[in-house]
């Protein structure tokens, strides 16, 4: 493979973009390949090299890079009608109705522009409605580039994980080990009256793909109810992938108070959302006093793409198909690793998969 064009583009980017990229995860070494276009299950880079795209936009591209005709038509229709209005449109109402109809926790929703914006807003809302400051998160979890969750350490030794975050911010965040019921009970026994909520991915996706052990999510549900805290599921990655239209919360049978979304809810366009009980979500301004606003929130092109994207999945057995492909891929890689590289194993569920290094090989 030749990478002359990508290398030249990266050299140019280094002089005008921080680190040569607009998101740090794209800065592969010695230089990233620059994508020219997508084509079905592939991407083609600036040098004409073709790659199988297992990333698919970090999750949202259920149909690969060739969206079904109804999705493309909806995007073109709304893009042609005008770039933006700063006013409500019918399509955002239709999309909100669709999400509320399918996701167990969602009675009301507020669309925003990214997963980070969604989790920032959810944390603010939890603190406001409970009158408390502390947020419990999982070690190894990820909730976007926000001050409240960019932390390291344990329950009694937390500190910021990035320069630029005051230590006083980290004092309000309590990281705990995922799947450790003993620690979560200890933390609530000590800090329960100060905990606004637990923010958790139902499946940790930032450090491999770590599934909850039986009963763990229900433990979080029970302890937050006992202490009048909120349970917040971050489904930016699992939403409308794991568990289909009901998301991971439907798959695991645990309903949180709030859910954050991103990626796929906009059909791959920039998007985020906070959904949950109406009595909570309606506390956002202007219905309540918790400030939340955004010029591009509910953008009509994004709403149209997301609505047609998920509606197509609902009407065409898409999840059955992609989940079957996911299982076939995981099984095939596992068979190869069993003979060729037993120090690796494959994890995942539904259409998610990852190959990870293990010290002693797959667990029995």
């Amino acid at each position: 493979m030749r990478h002359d064009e990508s290398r030249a583009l990266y050299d140019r980017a280094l002089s005008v973009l921080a680190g040569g990229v607009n998101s740090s995860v794209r800065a592969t070494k010695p230089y990233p390949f620059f994508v020219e276009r997508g084509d079905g299950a592939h991407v083609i880079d600036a040098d004409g090299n073709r790659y199988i795209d297992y990333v698919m936009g970090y999750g949202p591209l259920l149909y690969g890079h060739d969206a079904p005709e109804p999705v493309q038509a909806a995007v073109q229709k709304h893009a042609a009608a005008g770039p933006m209005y700063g006013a409500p449109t019918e399509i955002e109402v239709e999309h909100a109705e669709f999400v509320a109809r399918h996701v167990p926790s969602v009675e009301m929703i507020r669309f925003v522009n990214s997963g980070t914006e969604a989790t920032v807003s959810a944390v603010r809302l939890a603190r406001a409605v409970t009158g408390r400051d502390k947020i419990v998160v999982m070690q190894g979890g990820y909730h976007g580039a926000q001050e409240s969750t960019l932390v390291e350490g344990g329950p009694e030794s937390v500190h910021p994980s990035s320069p630029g975050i005051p230590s006083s911010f980290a004092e309000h965040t309590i990281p705990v080990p995922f799947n450790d019921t003993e620690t979560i009970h200890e933390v609530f026994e000590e800090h329960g009256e100060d905990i606004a909520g637990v923010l958790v991915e139902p499946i940790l996706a930032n450090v491999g793909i770590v599934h909850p052990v039986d009963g763990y999510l229900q433990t979080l549900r029970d302890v937050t109810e006992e202490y009048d805290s909120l349970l917040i599921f971050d489904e930016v990655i699992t939403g409308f992938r794991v568990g289909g239209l009901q998301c991971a919360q439907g798959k695991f049978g645990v309903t949180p108070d709030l859910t954050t979304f991103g990626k796929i809810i906009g059909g791959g366009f920039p998007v985020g959302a906070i959904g949950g009980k109406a009595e909570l979500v309606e506390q956002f301004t202007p219905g309540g006093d918790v400030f939340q606003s955004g010029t591009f929130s509910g953008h009509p092109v994004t709403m149209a793409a997301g609505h047609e994207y998920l509606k197509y999945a609902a009407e065409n057995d898409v999840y059955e198909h992609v989940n079957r492909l996911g299982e076939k891929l995981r099984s095939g890689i596992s068979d190869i690793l069993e003979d060729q590289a037993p120090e690796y194993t494959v994890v995942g569920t539904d259409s998610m998969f990852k190959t990870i290094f293990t010290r002693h090989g797959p667990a029995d």
Side-chain angles (χ1 to χ4, degrees):
M1 286 185 175
R2 295 178 59 87
H3 296 98
D4 297 345
E5 288 298 322
S6 283
R7 184 178 303 180
L9 285 168
Y10 188 51
D11 287 343
R12 289 170 55 192
L14 284 170
S15 66
V16 289
L17 297 174
V21 292
N22 282 306
S23 181
S24 57
V25 297
R26 302 173 191 169
T28 54
K29 299 298 182 181
Y31 49 84
F33 65 86
F34 280 67
V35 174
E36 182 179 276
R37 69 186 189 279
D39 180 22
H42 299 80
V43 290
I44 294 90
D45 71 11
D47 291 274
N49 300 310
R50 177 179 288 264
Y51 306 83
I52 297 175
D53 185 2
Y54 289 113
V55 179
M56 286 297 166
Y58 293 94
L61 304 185
L62 278 176
Y63 316 112
H65 295 282
D66 296 330
E69 192 280 330
V71 180
Q72 297 187 40
V75 169
Q76 293 166 4
K77 172 186 174 182
H78 285 270
M84 65 169 294
Y85 314 114
T89 59
E90 182 179 1
I91 188 60
E92 61 194 285
V93 180
E94 292 181 359
H95 197 25
E97 290 170 339
F98 182 95
V99 175
R101 191 160 57 246
H102 290 94
V103 183
S105 69
V106 177
E107 298 173 357
M108 184 174 288
I109 196 166
R110 170 63 61 89
F111 290 110
V112 292
N113 299 288
S114 70
T116 292
E117 189 178 346
T119 57
V120 167
S121 301
V123 167
R124 184 185 308 144
L125 181 60
R127 286 171 168 160
V129 299
T130 63
R132 304 169 180 177
D133 293 333
K134 293 189 181 296
I135 298 291
V136 175
V137 299
M138 303 296 143
Q139 294 170 342
Y142 181 67
H143 306 289
Q146 63 154 308
E147 280 77 357
S148 292
T149 60
L150 286 176
V151 298
E152 296 175 331
E156 306 303 329
S157 59
V158 61
H159 54 274
S161 61
S162 170
I165 299 176
S167 296
S168 58
F169 284 29
E171 293 173 4
H172 297 303
T173 306
I174 306 175
V176 299
F178 190 59
N179 282 332
D180 185 337
T181 57
E182 182 178 351
T183 298
I184 198 71
H185 282 297
E186 290 174 352
V187 163
F188 268 88
E189 287 171 5
E190 182 172 353
H191 303 286
E193 300 303 318
D194 299 316
I195 295 175
V198 175
L199 176 60
V200 59
E201 299 171 90
I203 297 174
L204 292 195
N206 191 50
V207 285
I209 298 176
V210 183
H211 293 255
V213 297
D214 288 345
Y216 183 68
L217 296 180
Q218 186 59 51
T219 294
L220 297 182
R221 176 68 284 176
D222 293 342
V223 75
T224 49
E225 287 183 344
E226 179 182 353
Y227 285 87
D228 294 323
S229 299
L230 300 189
L231 178 58
I232 309 167
F233 276 4
D234 181 345
E235 295 226 42
V236 168
I237 291 179
T238 57
F240 297 100
R241 296 283 305 202
V242 175
L245 294 174
Q246 289 199 336
C247 306
Q249 58 195 258
K251 182 181 181 75
F252 293 118
V254 177
T255 303
D257 299 295
L258 296 173
T259 303
T260 59
F261 302 97
K263 306 178 189 303
I264 199 171
I265 206 171
F269 285 82
V271 74
I274 314 99
K277 296 178 180 178
E279 65 190 64
L280 298 175
V281 181
E282 66 184 359
Q283 296 305 312
F284 283 131
T285 52
D289 296 326
V290 184
F291 183 77
Q292 201 292 315
S293 189
T295 301
F296 291 97
S297 297
H299 192 285
V301 174
T302 299
M303 295 292 97
H307 186 58
E308 291 296 335
Y309 212 85
L310 296 181
K311 191 169 71 169
Y312 187 91
E315 296 171 352
N316 292 277
D317 297 324
V318 167
Y319 291 109
E320 180 180 343
H321 176 67
V322 296
N323 291 348
R324 186 169 60 249
L325 290 178
E327 177 56 34
K328 184 177 181 180
L329 182 61
R330 288 190 297 271
S331 177
I333 297 175
S334 296
D335 289 344
I336 294 171
L337 294 178
E338 185 176 359
D339 292 333
Q340 303 295 327
E343 68 275 17
Y344 288 82
T345 190
V346 181
V347 295
T349 185
D350 296 51
S351 58
M352 295 172 62
F353 85 99
K354 191 168 188 177
T355 304
I356 59 174
F357 178 81
T358 57
R359 186 178 298 275
H360 302 294
D364 294 331

